[in-house]
Amino acid sequence: MNVIAFYIAAVIAIVATVLVITLKNAVHALLYLAVSLIAVAVIFYDLGAPFIAGLEVIVYAGSIIVLFIFVVMMLNLGKRATASEAALLKPAMWIGPVALAAILIGEMAYLLEHGAMGVPAASVVTPRAVGIALYGPYVIGVELSSMLLMAALVGAYHLGWHKQPKLEIQDVSREYGTGTDAGRDSIRTGSGRPAGAA
Amino acid sequence: MLAGILFALGVVGLLVRRNLVFVLMSVEIMLNAAGLAFVSAGARWAQADGQVMFIFILSMAASEVAVGLALVLQLYREKQSLDLDSVDEMKG
């Protein structure tokens, strides 16, 4: 375990987290949240848990941040979207996260170069040991978490689905309305001719 | 120590911010801090249990964020306002 790398990553994580809870704009806060999560991932790698560091980057900094960004983009439709986009394009908003992420990249490269030999073998918990523990004594937890994920999937689908079908039904009814109007016209012309003829 | 600081920051963010998205982000910070505590404790005694617990926390955080963001979208559709502060008025 490299102590200096740990403290640098810890300071970066704390600074990024403070910026997350103080910034006004949600997208900027999300950038700093991603930086904070990556800093914690570097800490995990430094603590001898490379598997968990990878999971942190993939699941937290990947999927969860992307989910947040999707929701923020969906919520900020309209004038504020263009305003925030114009603010996003300003380089001053990118300097902070890019600088912190560059420090983390340098630290990661340094750890990959030197830290692998500096880490004592006893403190590194390999993915093999994690998997054996996960499917050995914790197999009930695995089942419960799978049930939780399934419930979350169904719940999120239901909550996100609820309002949408009304719009679709309205669109479909409008389409059918225009279709029946066109049909009525043809029927009227068709029925009007015999009516006019009679 | 670091996990405690991050958890405290998450609590502060949860209490201070009234925007629903920021509250969810603060919950994420707190869960991440708890996972950091588990992993560091597991690394301290060189056991795999901490990382197993972190995997459970990770899956729980993912499901929580999915449901929470779906709720945010639902509340936004109900309120039809750009400002999410109006959602908090509903809680009284």
Side-chain angles (χ1 to χ4, degrees):
Chain A
M1 171 177 173
N2 198 334
V3 179
I4 300 172
F6 173 78
Y7 280 115
I8 292 173
V11 167
I12 288 174
I14 291 172
V15 168
T17 309
V18 168
L19 285 171
V20 165
I21 65 172
T22 53
L23 279 181
K24 298 284 184 185
N25 197 336
V27 181
H28 302 159
L30 277 172
L31 278 176
Y32 281 107
L33 181 59
V35 170
S36 169
L37 294 175
I38 293 171
V40 174
V42 169
I43 291 172
F44 284 159
Y45 185 79
D46 198 21
L47 283 173
F51 177 57
I52 293 300
L55 269 185
E56 169 100 5
V57 170
I58 291 169
V59 178
Y60 264 113
S63 62
I64 290 181
I65 294 297
V66 165
L67 211 58
F68 267 111
I69 285 176
F70 270 143
V71 170
V72 168
M73 294 291 175
M74 285 174 75
L75 291 182
N76 276 336
L77 294 178
K79 293 177 182 177
R80 279 183 58 189
T82 58
S84 65
E85 199 169 354
L88 267 181
L89 290 178
K90 280 192 286 186
M93 288 304 166
W94 287 97
I95 286 176
V98 165
L100 293 179
I103 294 173
L104 285 176
I105 288 173
E107 194 176 1
M108 197 73 188
Y110 175 76
L111 281 178
L112 284 177
E113 287 283 332
H114 306 281
M117 290 168 289
V119 172
S123 70
V124 175
V125 179
T126 60
R128 176 185 173 88
V130 175
I132 289 173
L134 193 61
Y135 289 104
Y138 288 103
V139 67
I140 296 179
V142 174
E143 299 290 336
L144 286 177
S145 66
S146 71
M147 286 177 60
L148 175 69
L149 284 175
M150 187 66 202
L153 176 69
V154 174
Y157 177 74
H158 175 70
L159 286 175
W161 178 74
H162 184 66
K163 197 76 175 183
Q164 201 69 21
K166 290 183 179 177
L167 298 175
E168 286 181 357
I169 285 172
Q170 284 176 359
D171 290 335
V172 164
S173 64
R174 281 175 193 166
E175 287 179 1
Y176 281 158
T178 57
T180 51
D181 282 339
R184 279 173 195 163
D185 286 336
S186 65
I187 288 172
R188 278 175 191 166
T189 56
S191 63
R193 281 175 186 170
Chain B
M1 179 67 187
L2 175 68
I5 291 174
L6 283 181
F7 192 84
L9 281 175
V11 172
V12 168
L14 185 70
L15 291 179
V16 167
R17 296 309 292 262
R18 281 296 139 200
N19 196 332
L20 208 51
V21 178
F22 282 93
V23 169
L24 273 180
M25 277 199 261
S26 302
V27 171
E28 283 305 304
I29 292 170
M30 289 163 65
L31 283 173
N32 197 18
L36 177 62
F38 270 115
V39 170
S40 56
R44 167 66 179 80
W45 285 284
Q47 294 293 317
D49 300 340
Q51 300 191 22
V52 171
M53 281 298 161
F54 181 78
I55 290 174
F56 291 155
I57 288 176
L58 197 70
S59 62
M60 192 195 69
S63 58
E64 176 261 343
V65 156
V67 176
L69 287 177
L71 276 172
V72 167
L73 280 181
Q74 191 70 25
L75 280 174
Y76 175 72
R77 282 178 188 150
E78 291 292 328
K79 303 294 281 189
Q80 286 295 327
S81 64
L82 281 175
D83 195 7
L84 279 177
D85 293 341
S86 64
V87 174
D88 282 338
E89 296 173 0
M90 201 171 63
K91 297 175 184 172

